[in-house]
Amino acid sequence: MEKPARLSDLFVRLLLVAFIIIVALTVFEFIKNLLFPSLSLWHSQIITIVFISVIGTIVAYFVLKKYFALLSQLSKNLVDRQQSEQVLINGYASLEELVNKRTTDLDKANEALRSEFLEHQHDAEALRFSEAQSRVLAEEANSIILRLNTKGQVTFFNKFAQSFFGYSEDEICGYSVIGTIVPETDTSGRNLTAMITDLISHPDRYTINENENIKRNGERVWISWSNKAILDDYGQVIEILCIGNEKTALKLEEERFGRQQKLDLLQKSLEEITVALSSSMEKKFPYITGHQKRVAQLACEIAGEIDLSEKQIDRLRTSSILHDIGMIYMPTEILTKPAPLTEIERLMIKVHPRVGYEILKGIEFPWPVAEIVLQHHERLDGSGYPKGLSGWDILLPARILAVADVVAAMTAPRPYRPGLGIEMALEELTKNQGILYDERIVDACVKLFSVRGFKFEVFPGLEWVR
């Protein structure tokens, strides 16, 4: 296609040369006739031939030069084209080889994918069958079975769990266990919200755990849980499988037994503390120890007369034995002074309830012993000390101690006076009944001496305190 185009171009150029020659001859003849009409030399054919030859030679030179340039360019283009065609042929061969290789690889990959797909399909069918079996077993199990997602929401709740907690599957699936079957805190104050969050983040820490749960009706129950993490193909936790069994009765029995052991140990410790403190007082001030024992004896009898329980009486006995423990910090010269106390000395003595409170407040008694000791000199009308409490602001054990303390103090001898006798003590109580002292407690005390024939016990080593 390119060669005819080149020939056509050459033919046009030759026509153009012929046209130029004709024009040049015409112009030449015109100039010759116009400028030199009479010059005979110009009529010579030789001049014409020479002129035409010169012009033709010049034109032919340029035409042939252009022609040969075109031929050179054509040759160069032909070589470039041949080289490009060879490159294309080589590239096509490489591409064909690469395509064949990739086709082979794709065939292999397709075959591998097909085999893997068939294998996964088989595994999926087996998994669906296994899950169906597991679901049937879970639904029919006599244990609580549930599953939690990573947000703590229930995704499965078997029939036993529904019956046990009182929730249908639709009512609990998709909801968090916190606020439904798990309270935010248990009765001991443990933060169960934090525990569930930690369980989901670190299920390996809670393969077995016990916690308090709550039914729909508000009943609290203890459940022992076995937990197992369900992982995806990348080893990430996607769900937690929880299997639980109730152990409320066992837990309550354990707690009761544990509490009883703690109470027994505490009671023993309290007795040892009381004996130790009382012994310290006895060594320094024997008559104060006798006074505390007499107060304890009378206070317990009064408590029994007003129908307090045995536990309350036992607690009152301990409080009574310790009620003057603050005297241990009083100067010996004041407590053994064989003369009436001065006003300043009396003010010093009035500090002893607060001192006793400071001594006892750091001991963890299961009842307010320190407060009872602090209040045993308070009076109903607010005239007592150290706080000036009145009426029902004074604890009942402290009101009992106040009455027993007055009787024991007035009837026992002091370094500066003999005992004043029971009649004067009872007169003090009845005169201020309902004013300084609790009316019911005074009646019980008077009844003990006038009707029951109560007498203070004579303690070994303290026979002189009667």
Side-chain angles (χ1 to χ4, degrees):
M1 187 72 182
E2 187 176 354
K3 187 173 182 180
R6 295 294 183 182
L7 292 174
S8 175
D9 184 58
L10 181 60
F11 179 73
V12 170
R13 290 178 182 275
L14 291 173
L15 288 177
L16 182 60
V17 170
F19 176 76
I20 291 170
I21 293 173
I22 293 171
V23 170
L25 286 173
T26 302
V27 172
F28 172 75
E29 289 296 329
F30 175 77
I31 293 172
K32 183 180 70 171
N33 292 326
L34 181 63
L35 297 178
F36 308 100
S38 60
L39 184 63
S40 60
L41 181 62
W42 292 102
H43 291 281
S44 172
Q45 297 297 323
I46 295 172
I47 296 300
T48 301
I49 292 170
V50 169
F51 177 79
I52 292 171
S53 299
V54 171
I55 295 299
T57 302
I58 294 170
V59 172
Y61 170 76
F62 285 106
V63 170
L64 289 173
K65 181 180 179 181
K66 185 64 177 176
Y67 176 73
F68 285 116
L70 288 175
L71 285 178
S72 177
Q73 184 64 37
L74 286 174
S75 299
K76 185 176 182 302
N77 289 344
L78 180 62
V79 171
D80 291 343
R81 181 176 177 180
Q82 289 175 345
Q83 290 177 347
S84 298
E85 287 179 353
Q86 186 62 42
V87 170
L88 287 173
I89 291 170
N90 294 337
Y92 178 78
S94 299
L95 181 62
E96 186 176 15
E97 183 181 356
L98 181 61
V99 168
N100 291 335
K101 184 176 183 301
R102 291 296 174 88
T103 302
T104 303
D105 292 341
L106 287 174
D107 289 339
K108 291 179 180 179
N110 186 48
E111 184 62 29
L113 285 173
R114 183 173 177 279
S115 300
E116 187 175 354
F117 173 76
L118 293 175
E119 184 178 349
H120 278 297
Q121 189 176 31
H122 177 73
D123 292 343
E125 290 176 357
L127 181 60
R128 284 195 295 271
F129 179 73
S130 176
E131 287 181 346
Q133 281 188 319
S134 300
R135 188 175 184 88
V136 170
L137 292 174
E139 290 289 1
E140 300 301 325
N142 289 324
S143 295
I144 301 165
I145 300 178
L146 58 90
R147 292 165 72 171
L148 304 177
N149 62 18
T150 54
K151 296 180 180 179
Q153 297 168 333
V154 179
T155 59
F156 175 76
F157 207 62
N158 75 334
K159 290 180 180 178
F160 186 88
Q162 296 171 38
S163 173
F164 181 84
F165 285 106
Y167 289 96
S168 68
E169 192 170 19
D170 292 337
E171 290 174 324
I172 197 166
C173 283
Y175 293 91
S176 173
V177 288
I178 298 296
T180 51
I181 64 172
V182 178
E184 293 183 1
T185 57
D186 64 15
T187 50
S188 67
R190 183 169 62 142
N191 189 333
L192 295 183
T193 302
M195 187 272 289
I196 292 295
T197 303
D198 193 40
L199 182 151
I200 293 169
S201 302
H202 307 92
D204 52 306
R205 299 178 183 174
Y206 296 87
T207 52
I208 297 177
N209 76 292
E210 296 176 4
N211 62 272
E212 197 172 31
N213 293 79
I214 186 169
K215 295 184 178 182
R216 186 171 187 170
N217 61 9
E219 179 186 354
R220 297 222 171 192
V221 291
W222 277 89
I223 296 177
S224 176
W225 295 98
S226 296
N227 307 303
K228 180 176 177 58
I230 299 174
L231 310 178
D232 61 13
D233 294 338
Y234 302 99
Q236 300 297 316
V237 177
I238 54 174
E239 282 189 326
I240 309 292
L241 175 64
C242 307
I243 302 175
N245 291 286
E246 184 185 9
K247 58 172 301 180
T248 303
L250 179 60
K251 186 70 176 180
L252 291 176
E253 181 62 24
E254 289 176 354
E255 289 181 353
R256 186 195 66 77
F257 182 72
R259 282 197 301 269
Q260 188 60 47
Q261 281 187 321
K262 289 179 180 178
L263 286 174
D264 292 343
L265 182 60
L266 180 60
Q267 184 64 36
K268 183 179 179 182
S269 299
L270 291 178
E271 290 174 359
E272 291 173 353
I273 291 170
T274 303
V275 170
L277 293 174
S278 181
S279 297
S280 299
M281 287 289 294
E282 185 174 358
K283 290 177 181 178
K284 189 172 184 180
F285 309 114
Y287 85 89
I288 290 179
T289 303
H291 169 72
Q292 291 187 144
K293 290 181 178 180
R294 283 155 61 85
V295 170
Q297 183 187 3
L298 179 55
C300 291
E301 291 294 331
I302 293 173
E305 195 65 30
I306 62 175
D307 296 326
L308 295 188
S309 67
E310 287 297 325
K311 184 179 290 186
Q312 289 173 306
I313 293 173
D314 287 340
R315 292 177 174 181
L316 179 60
R317 180 178 292 108
T318 301
S319 302
S320 301
I321 291 175
L322 297 174
H323 80 279
D324 272 344
I325 190 65
M327 290 288 191
I328 199 169
Y329 283 98
M330 295 298 107
T332 307
E333 294 77 11
I334 294 177
L335 297 178
T336 58
K337 184 178 180 180
L341 301 178
T342 65
E343 186 61 29
I344 294 177
E345 291 170 338
R346 288 182 183 277
L347 291 176
M348 292 177 66
I349 291 294
K350 285 185 177 182
V351 177
H352 81 274
R354 190 169 293 280
V355 174
Y357 171 80
E358 294 296 329
I359 293 172
L360 298 172
K361 72 177 183 179
I363 302 173
E364 293 186 7
F365 290 95
W367 68 95
V369 175
E371 287 291 338
I372 294 169
V373 169
L374 181 66
Q375 295 180 13
H376 78 276
H377 276 291
E378 300 287 357
R379 297 295 181 256
L380 291 185
D381 63 353
S383 62
Y385 60 87
K387 289 186 174 182
L389 301 178
S390 61
W392 296 105
D393 289 337
I394 306 171
L395 298 173
L396 176 60
R399 299 202 301 271
I400 296 174
L401 269 178
V403 171
D405 190 34
V406 167
V407 174
M410 292 183 68
T411 58
R414 287 290 183 265
Y416 57 89
R417 65 156 175 82
L420 302 177
I422 190 63
E423 291 78 11
M424 189 174 291
L426 295 179
E427 182 182 350
E428 161 67 17
L429 293 179
T430 54
K431 181 176 66 175
N432 293 293
Q433 186 176 15
I435 301 172
L436 302 180
Y437 314 109
D438 188 302
E439 188 173 355
R440 183 175 62 142
I441 295 171
V442 170
D443 287 340
C445 183
V446 171
K447 185 178 180 180
L448 282 173
F449 285 97
S450 60
V451 178
R452 306 288 189 196
F454 173 81
K455 290 183 180 181
F456 285 109
E457 182 180 348
V458 178
F459 298 101
L462 299 171
E463 290 80 3
W464 56 278
V465 184
R466 293 178 182 273

